[in-house]
Amino acid sequence: MQVQFREFSQFDVWFWLEFANVPSEREKKLVEEVFSSWFFLGKLGGFNAENTQVQETGLDLSYMDYDNDAADSTMMSLMHNMGDFEYEGNWGRCWLDLGTSDAIAIDVLINSLAQLSKEYVEIIQLLIGGENEDWEIDPSHKESLFQDIN
């Protein structure tokens, strides 16, 4: 799976997936579950790079002292909104407002989709940001996303 970043706005970003074939309903469900699970973790503040105490400790986690005060003192990093997944031919796309979540969230998504591509549904490329010249974004589309979410 190739990964390419294009014009990127944290609060207004499209994720585009090009599949090797037109995805089946089962394959669509798997992709949507990855995005939904990832978004839910982000909505709960799971992608907060300021609080990576376990990662910073290293491999030996036995009897690690977790500092709850340090965790509570970090700035919240929450994802805000996610649109519905859409498909056209062998393309899929999803719009997100990543809010104040940290960039580690995108690494987690890329890693998850790469493994999904190896085992379940072949993804040729993941495009992050920008627009797809073969599939235009209707300017009113974002307005309808916000109406559906609110």
Side-chain angles (χ1 to χ4, degrees):
M1 179 182 84
Q2 297 297 311
V3 177
Q4 180 182 5
F5 282 81
R6 300 186 297 182
E7 184 179 342
F8 183 85
S9 168
Q10 182 87 1
F11 303 102
D12 181 15
V13 61
W14 284 92
F15 289 82
W16 304 86
L17 296 168
E18 182 182 14
F19 300 97
N21 301 297
V22 174
S24 67
E25 290 305 313
R26 179 183 172 276
E27 292 169 332
K28 289 177 183 179
K29 185 173 173 82
L30 288 170
V31 169
E32 291 171 26
E33 283 294 320
V34 169
F35 271 85
S36 294
S37 300
W38 174 72
F39 174 70
F40 189 66
L41 289 173
K43 194 143 178 84
L44 293 173
F47 303 115
N48 183 347
E50 280 188 58
N51 186 34
T52 56
Q53 296 177 52
V54 177
Q55 175 67 28
E56 291 168 10
T57 296
L59 296 176
D60 186 9
L61 301 177
S62 296
Y63 306 104
M64 175 190 152
D65 288 326
Y66 191 86
D67 187 343
N68 288 311
D69 292 333
D72 289 341
S73 69
T74 63
M75 185 179 95
M76 288 191 301
S77 70
L78 309 173
M79 287 186 186
H80 295 174
N81 292 311
M82 177 178 157
D84 292 330
F85 224 93
E86 303 173 70
Y87 299 91
E88 187 171 298
N90 64 329
W91 282 95
R93 71 180 182 186
C94 187
W95 173 87
L96 283 112
D97 174 347
L98 299 177
T100 56
S101 64
D102 291 319
I104 191 171
I106 297 172
D107 282 322
V108 169
L109 179 65
I110 291 169
N111 293 339
S112 301
L113 290 173
Q115 193 62 33
L116 182 76
S117 179
K118 289 176 187 173
E119 295 192 27
Y120 297 102
V121 54
E122 187 179 352
I123 301 168
I124 294 173
Q125 63 178 328
L126 168 64
L127 304 176
I128 301 170
E131 293 191 25
N132 186 333
E133 59 232 16
D134 297 331
W135 189 3
E136 291 185 19
I137 299 169
D138 181 353
S140 65
H141 184 77
K142 195 185 310 179
E143 293 171 19
S144 67
L145 285 173
F146 282 114
Q147 289 172 355
D148 291 343
I149 293 169
N150 294 327

